[in-house]
Amino acid sequence: MSNVQAVEAKPRERVAMNGVDTPRLFATLDAVKAQPELAAFQFRATNTWISGTHSRSRIEAFSGANGEHRHTGNIQFDADHPAVLVGADHAPTPVEFLLHAIAACITSGIGNIAAARGVRLSEVESTVEGDIDLRGILGLSKDVRNGYRELRVHFRVKGDAPPETLQAIVAQSKARSAVFDVLTNGTTVNVTADCATA
Amino acid sequence: MSNVQAVEAKPRERVAMNGVDTPRLFATLDAVKAQPELAAFQFRATNTWISGTHSRSRIEAFSGANGEHRHTGNIQFDADHPAVLVGADHAPTPVEFLLHAIAACITSGIGNIAAARGVRLSEVESTVEGDIDLRGILGLSKDVRNGYRELRVHFRVKGDAPPETLQAIVAQSKARSAVFDVLTNGTTVNVTADCATA
């Protein structure tokens, strides 16, 4: 979800569009405004190593809005390294899921914000590129970081509004994207382990 | 892949184990040492909006090691918002894919580093939790960030080595994780858009 509070030139049409239940979106905003504790969410995943660089995550349950919830859609995702990186290529690499996350996050915001602003979308497509020098993770250079040097996300958006209105929707979605915030500003990541000889 | 260059107390056994082709892993390291340009990789994704907050990414091609490559495993991944966030729950949310990425990245490193150090693993499991206050993305508070406040990754590792050796493998994998670097330090993310009335 994304900010739909901004002042708009066009009168707000609170009708469902773009597959977004816009009235319920505004009702949700009002509910959280009245009860801020509804906004405290915890997302979770479990991961099991399979072999080599291949592992499988399950993304099943999360809490928020004062309750526990379970996903009903696809919840199982693999990751692996490709052959050129000595893996078996059962699935994309972990770093590629960051590309999926940023594209999907900004896209979902575009859907919501367009609906909130009464703009009907006909197409939203994006490409993401990430440049990485693997000498970092290979431990071959102290001057090279482990992660991406840069990501580029390019959108192609079509809708029943002037191009500048569509640009403003993309800009607002970026400004309210949870994944954009984490990928650009970073966050605290605590890693712990229980280890046993077996 | 992760750093296998560190000095080790245990003599290195360059035999395949844990599903890792250890000799080829070391050969890859030697190749990149000799030709650093082989380490320049670019990962890519394309995403298409479907409806509402539902979109689909394809992670097909990438470049690196002086060539173009295509994944052979599963390459298509959806994302959506759950019902409680006014979505249709076709798949997990974009922010949950960050949890998959961090768990899978450190796990693949554990597999590689253990093999490089001659440690046979029997189990690697992890849980990831991410705390997020959705007042940020909902635009309801200027004091709340959009992204996760904190992530916690907890591993359970079993292998044929003392617990402290296994702990050191987890620590080395974290120290060389591309996803850990991006999620903790952030990176540059450029977002652009072509917009058209249609």
Side-chain angles (χ1 to χ4, degrees):
Chain A
M1 293 174 72
S2 296
N3 181 13
V4 289
Q5 302 296 296
V7 174
E8 292 138 36
K10 189 172 179 178
R12 194 177 279 164
E13 299 171 27
R14 295 195 176 185
V15 296
M17 65 171 66
N18 302 328
V20 176
D21 185 344
T22 319
R24 197 156 73 82
L25 186 57
F26 280 101
T28 300
L29 279 166
D30 288 341
V32 178
K33 235 181 280 184
Q35 276 189 274
E37 70 272 19
L38 294 175
F41 273 63
Q42 182 184 85
F43 292 107
R44 306 174 197 132
T46 57
N47 180 279
T48 304
W49 174 64
I50 297 173
S51 178
T53 52
H54 183 201
S55 72
R56 180 168 295 157
S57 294
R58 292 177 67 85
I59 302 175
E60 291 180 279
F62 60 98
S63 64
N66 283 346
E68 279 287 322
H69 308 274
R70 295 186 81 81
H71 286 296
T72 54
N74 182 31
I75 59 161
Q76 187 168 291
F77 305 93
D78 287 17
D80 200 354
H81 286 186
V84 69
L85 297 173
V86 201
D89 200 28
H90 289 283
T93 59
V95 286
E96 287 168 292
F97 283 97
L98 301 181
L99 311 183
H100 170 47
I102 184 71
C105 192
I106 299 179
T107 298
S108 64
I110 290 171
N112 274 341
I113 295 164
R117 296 185 179 186
V119 173
R120 215 169 287 272
L121 298 169
S122 50
E123 183 181 309
V124 183
E125 295 196 333
S126 57
T127 57
V128 193
E129 296 174 342
D131 299 326
I132 189 166
D133 183 335
L134 296 187
R135 284 180 296 166
I137 62 171
L138 293 172
L140 297 176
S141 169
K142 287 184 179 170
D143 303 325
V144 174
R145 69 178 294 179
N146 295 326
Y148 284 118
R149 184 175 63 238
E150 183 183 89
L151 297 183
R152 292 175 297 282
V153 190
H154 184 69
F155 281 92
R156 197 173 60 194
V157 180
K158 295 183 181 173
D160 68 351
E164 56 271 24
T165 301
L166 299 172
Q167 288 282 358
I169 290 168
V170 175
Q172 180 65 10
S173 182
K174 169 184 151 180
R176 284 293 166 200
S177 164
V179 173
F180 182 83
D181 173 24
V182 171
L183 295 191
T184 54
N185 297 314
T187 191
T188 302
V189 183
N190 286 310
V191 179
T192 54
D194 287 328
C195 296
T197 308
Chain B
M1 294 174 71
S2 295
N3 181 14
V4 289
Q5 303 294 296
V7 174
E8 292 139 34
K10 189 172 177 178
R12 194 178 278 163
E13 300 170 26
R14 294 196 176 184
V15 296
M17 64 172 66
N18 303 327
V20 177
D21 186 345
T22 319
R24 196 155 73 82
L25 186 58
F26 280 101
T28 301
L29 279 166
D30 289 341
V32 177
K33 236 182 277 182
Q35 276 189 274
E37 70 272 20
L38 295 174
F41 273 64
Q42 183 184 86
F43 291 108
R44 306 175 197 131
T46 57
N47 180 280
T48 303
W49 175 63
I50 297 173
S51 178
T53 52
H54 183 203
S55 72
R56 179 167 296 157
S57 294
R58 293 177 67 83
I59 302 175
E60 290 180 280
F62 60 98
S63 63
N66 283 345
E68 279 288 321
H69 308 273
R70 294 186 81 82
H71 285 296
T72 55
N74 183 31
I75 59 162
Q76 186 168 291
F77 305 92
D78 287 18
D80 200 355
H81 286 186
V84 69
L85 296 173
V86 201
D89 200 27
H90 289 283
T93 60
V95 285
E96 286 168 293
F97 284 97
L98 301 181
L99 312 184
H100 170 47
I102 184 71
C105 193
I106 299 179
T107 297
S108 64
I110 290 171
N112 274 341
I113 295 164
R117 297 185 179 187
V119 173
R120 214 170 287 273
L121 298 169
S122 50
E123 183 181 311
V124 183
E125 295 196 334
S126 57
T127 57
V128 193
E129 296 174 341
D131 299 326
I132 188 166
D133 183 335
L134 296 187
R135 284 180 297 166
I137 62 171
L138 293 171
L140 297 177
S141 170
K142 287 184 179 169
D143 303 324
V144 175
R145 69 178 295 178
N146 295 326
Y148 284 118
R149 184 175 63 238
E150 183 183 90
L151 298 183
R152 292 174 297 281
V153 190
H154 184 69
F155 281 92
R156 197 173 59 192
V157 179
K158 295 182 182 174
D160 68 351
E164 56 271 25
T165 302
L166 299 171
Q167 287 282 358
I169 290 168
V170 174
Q172 180 65 11
S173 181
K174 169 185 150 180
R176 284 295 166 199
S177 164
V179 173
F180 182 83
D181 174 24
V182 171
L183 295 191
T184 54
N185 297 314
T187 191
T188 301
V189 183
N190 285 311
V191 179
T192 54
D194 288 329
C195 295
T197 307

